Amino acid sequence: MNALTALDDLRPDNMALEEWHLRLELAACYRLFDHLGWAEMIFNHITVRVPGGDEGNPHYLINPYGLHYTEVTARNLVKIDAAGNMIDDSPHPVNPAGFVIHSAVHAARPDAHCVMHTHTTAGMAVACKRPGLAHDNFYGAMFYQRVAYHDFEGITTDTAECARLVASLGDRDVMILRNHGLLVTGPTLRKALHTIWTLQRACEVQMATACLPGETIALDETLLAGIPRQRKPMHVGRDADRMMFDAIVRRADIRYADLAADS
């Protein structure tokens, strides 16, 4: 029995088991973001698709507007559709900027089970630079030809921007919102976390490199193109995404039982 299934008896009677497990995992991820220093007070979002909805109008979970990341639990996460309509009976509101960005991606990309968006200092600093993400360090090299860019259009509360966001992202799993922040998608929450952690490290190293005197060593494009092939042996027979997620949960001393309690 794993940490999630051990709490199956605490699942609300009217909730599917799959959704309950997703809620526990997502609530833990909000705590992880705070532990890693990525919390943005009551703003920004991590969303996960849940069963329900129609094609092009999926249901997904989002954090309650007004609660800090450390206050998010499996029970107070809000379930909404792509238009921001509440599916469950929640007393909490939803930040409009959250469903404009996240609903657009969830609706257009069935493979985007999880969407994460951050405003970290390093991520925003890179987003403000015209060249964007550099591929001249260990972490940045992993994103060669993986990054999409979307131009700043102001605070994302206008649904008219949805189509342009989706067009900018295309089929990529990483997007830098220029002058704004970082966005990643993943087929699982754990995969998305692994991706955004690596992207955040790339931005931090890039920001530190820019502060040092001397020429930055460029990496050959042929070498960069071979990085995906080099990474494959690291993950054969291993679920690195799960191992990494579980390790941070342990390090942050997050207890799923606390996240399952009434909010």
Side-chain angles (χ1 to χ4, degrees), residues 78-95:
V78 184
K79 182 162 63 171
I80 62 175
D81 66 11
N85 299 310
M86 288 191 184
I87 306 303
D88 53 12
D89 185 21
S90 173
H92 301 285
V94 172
N95 185 353

Side-chain angles (χ1 to χ4, degrees), residues 31-43:
R31 306 300 175 98
L32 292 184
F33 267 45
D34 180 67
H35 175 74
L36 293 166
W38 301 348
E40 196 74 8
M41 298 302 292
I42 63 171
F43 306 102

Side-chain angles (χ1 to χ4, degrees), residues 190-227:
R190 288 174 168 85
K191 180 67 174 178
L193 178 71
H194 196 163
T195 299
I196 203 166
W197 181 87
T198 308
L199 181 62
Q200 173 66 17
R201 291 290 291 130
C203 291
E204 290 170 348
V205 174
Q206 180 173 336
M207 189 167 67
T209 302
C211 296
L212 296 177
E215 181 181 357
T216 300
I217 303 169
L219 297 179
D220 181 83
E221 291 196 5
T222 302
L223 185 154
L224 290 170
I227 294 294

